[in-house]
Amino acid sequence: MSWVLPLLLETMLGFAAPVIVLDPGHGGIQPGAQAGGFREKDFALALALLLKADLEQQGLEVHLTRDSDVGVSLHERVKRANEKEPAVFISLHANAISHEHRLKSHGIETYFLAARASTERARQVAALENKALHVKSQHADILEKILADLQRTQSHMASSRLAHMVQEALIRVSGAKDRGVQQALFLVLAGVNAPAILIEFGFVSHGRELKKLKDAEYQRLLSKAVTQGILKFLQREDVSQ
């Protein structure tokens, strides 16, 4: 990967390595999406640990909002992220959908923050993830007003670029269906002072995709792909800490 060299050289020459914060979704009493013995919280943590190792191998500094099966509140996730002053924040998840659509819905989609969802499905996904964090609806209403001018901010545009680079790498490496880059009001992204995205790596409600998500080698492929996308973003943005 040609873009890795500048990052490694900066680290070797004494510059602080860019900081990446990974946010494994759910945890503790919140299992997330489940099917066939698969629990989203376990998948998210396993993938975060793989990704941490891959990113550290490239000279980056990596922190997790949780590194074990514990519940972490929305406030604490955001607090832990911002304390590290990250260059990138990524929340890791797996998708699910109702019984009548389970045979049709599969693939990977990547989200960045927006006051209004790009599609009805994006709104539903955000609502589900926000609910898992016990976020009350009135908080979401307040944030929608605060985020009305979000599209004019530099961080918003950087998040969009990050989302597209990571999504492109994921589809290229995994061969999964490309469900594209979407926008929605994910509250875990709203408070982070950095380019921030949320990835839904596949549908546990789809039999063939569930089998892949449970496979350790496929998880390693996903980790390598996200690493490629992050490194490309850091190089293009000329990030330094």
Side-chain angles (χ1 to χ4, degrees):
M1 291 177 281
S2 60
W3 57 79
V4 176
L5 185 57
L7 293 172
L8 293 179
L9 283 176
E10 283 189 5
T11 302
M12 292 168 62
L13 292 172
F15 293 96
V19 174
I20 311 299
V21 172
L22 304 176
D23 174 51
H26 307 280
I29 63 171
Q30 287 286 340
Q34 300 182 79
F38 175 100
R39 298 187 301 183
E40 182 182 356
K41 67 174 184 176
D42 300 330
F43 166 81
L45 180 57
L47 186 57
L49 292 172
L50 287 172
L51 187 50
K52 182 177 189 292
D54 284 340
L55 291 168
E56 287 178 340
Q57 192 172 29
Q58 301 301 330
L60 301 174
E61 180 180 339
V62 185
H63 300 275
L64 276 61
T65 59
R66 69 176 179 94
D67 57 10
S68 61
D69 184 16
V70 295
V72 183
S73 70
L74 171 66
H75 172 77
E76 189 62 26
R77 288 173 192 267
V78 172
K79 178 175 178 287
R80 292 178 185 183
N82 287 335
E83 284 176 347
K84 302 303 181 183
E85 299 183 355
V88 166
F89 174 91
I90 298 184
S91 193
L92 311 175
H93 293 264
N95 227 327
I97 203 164
S98 60
H99 179 78
E100 60 267 26
H101 300 292
R102 63 186 173 85
L103 296 180
K104 296 181 180 179
S105 298
H106 61 98
I108 299 173
E109 53 196 17
T110 301
Y111 290 86
F112 65 98
L113 182 66
R116 286 181 170 79
S118 51
T119 66
E120 175 58 22
R121 172 60 188 165
R123 186 196 66 76
Q124 292 171 359
V125 173
L128 185 63
E129 299 296 359
N130 292 340
K131 182 179 179 182
L133 290 169
H134 303 289
V135 178
K136 295 182 179 179
S137 60
Q138 61 264 34
H139 294 165
D141 293 340
I142 293 169
L143 272 171
E144 283 198 38
K145 295 175 183 177
I146 295 174
L147 296 173
D149 62 347
L150 185 62
Q151 292 172 340
R152 294 194 293 271
T153 69
Q154 182 177 354
S155 181
H156 178 268
M157 299 308 297
S159 296
S160 173
R161 292 190 292 272
L162 172 63
H164 280 90
M165 291 177 193
V166 170
Q167 177 74 6
E168 179 185 0
L170 278 166
I171 299 306
R172 183 178 65 251
V173 171
S174 71
K177 178 181 178 181
D178 185 0
R179 295 180 62 88
V181 171
Q182 307 290 342
Q183 304 176 54
L185 184 60
F186 286 93
L187 299 182
V188 73
L189 304 181
V192 177
N193 301 324
I197 62 174
L198 184 148
I199 308 171
E200 298 279 2
F201 285 95
F203 284 76
V204 308
S205 47
H206 188 276
R208 290 195 304 275
E209 195 151 76
L210 173 62
K211 185 177 180 180
K212 293 199 309 183
L213 291 172
K214 293 166 73 172
D215 181 70
E217 183 57 35
Y218 186 70
Q219 292 176 13
R220 282 191 284 271
L221 284 177
L222 295 176
S223 177
K224 299 294 184 186
V226 176
T227 298
Q228 290 178 20
I230 291 172
L231 291 172
K232 183 176 182 180
F233 171 79
L234 294 176
Q235 192 239 6
R236 294 281 179 90
E237 300 292 311
D238 191 24
V239 171
S240 60
Q241 295 290 302

